[in-house]
Amino acid sequence: MTSNLMIQSAKALFAMGAAASMVACASLQPATPEETVAKNALAFTNARIKGDHTAAYGYTNAAYQKAQTLEQYKKAYPGTFAQSAAIHDVKCSEEKCDVGIDLKVKPPLIGKNLGTIDMYSKQTWLLEDGQWRLYLEP
């Protein structure tokens, strides 16, 4: 009986080790373009919501950054009335992703409290030198 118990314990430990190895290997898999872009698009949008222009500007494409300084970006994109954001969908081809974002927006109407309204926004992300960047026209 003792050897039977030891064999069962060894099998259980082996099974747990194999499962842990599979989980570890799965976590080492590189993210898909859709996963990476969804993460970046949400980070960019949340930076805009928080008013963190520097972080948001850092996600923009190289051509935009060459043509527009951070100060020019701040003037072109001064702020947003969005309160929160969620990724609606991401559709990628080899070097381009289109992202749909659901926004909760609180319109700034003087004397009116409309609460938040649902809005939808689209972004285009391009693969540049191995990095996904938000496309903004320079």
Side-chain angles (χ1 to χ4, degrees), residues 3-20:
S3 85
N4 215 7
L5 185 59
M6 289 175 59
I7 290 171
Q8 287 178 342
S9 295
K11 285 181 181 178
L13 284 173
F14 177 76
M16 289 189 322

Side-chain angles (χ1 to χ4, degrees), residues 62-98:
Y64 182 85
Q65 289 185 14
K66 285 180 186 173
Q68 303 292 323
T69 66
L70 175 59
E71 290 305 313
Q72 290 169 316
Y73 170 81
K74 286 179 184 181
K75 288 178 184 173
Y77 299 94
T80 178
F81 298 107
Q83 303 291 304
S84 65
I87 300 300
H88 182 83
D89 62 349
V90 180
K91 294 177 184 142
C92 295
S93 60
E94 199 170 311
E95 295 183 358
K96 177 184 173 189
C97 291
D98 292 314

Side-chain angles (χ1 to χ4, degrees), residues 64 102 125:
Y64 182 85
D102 293 323
W125 289 72

Side-chain angles (χ1 to χ4, degrees), residues 35-45 59 123 125 132-133:
E35 292 167 336
T36 300
V37 170
K39 179 182 166 194
N40 289 354
L42 192 56
F44 166 78
T45 305
Y59 286 100
Q123 299 175 351
W125 289 72
W132 287 100
R133 298 285 182 194

Side-chain angles (χ1 to χ4, degrees), residues 16-57:
M16 289 189 322
S21 294
M22 287 171 46
V23 169
C25 287
S27 66
L28 296 176
Q29 297 283 333
T32 66
E34 290 82 2
E35 292 167 336
T36 300
V37 170
K39 179 182 166 194
N40 289 354
L42 192 56
F44 166 78
T45 305
N46 283 333
R48 291 226 37 232
I49 290 170
K50 292 176 187 169
D52 187 347
H53 292 92
T54 303
Y57 179 78

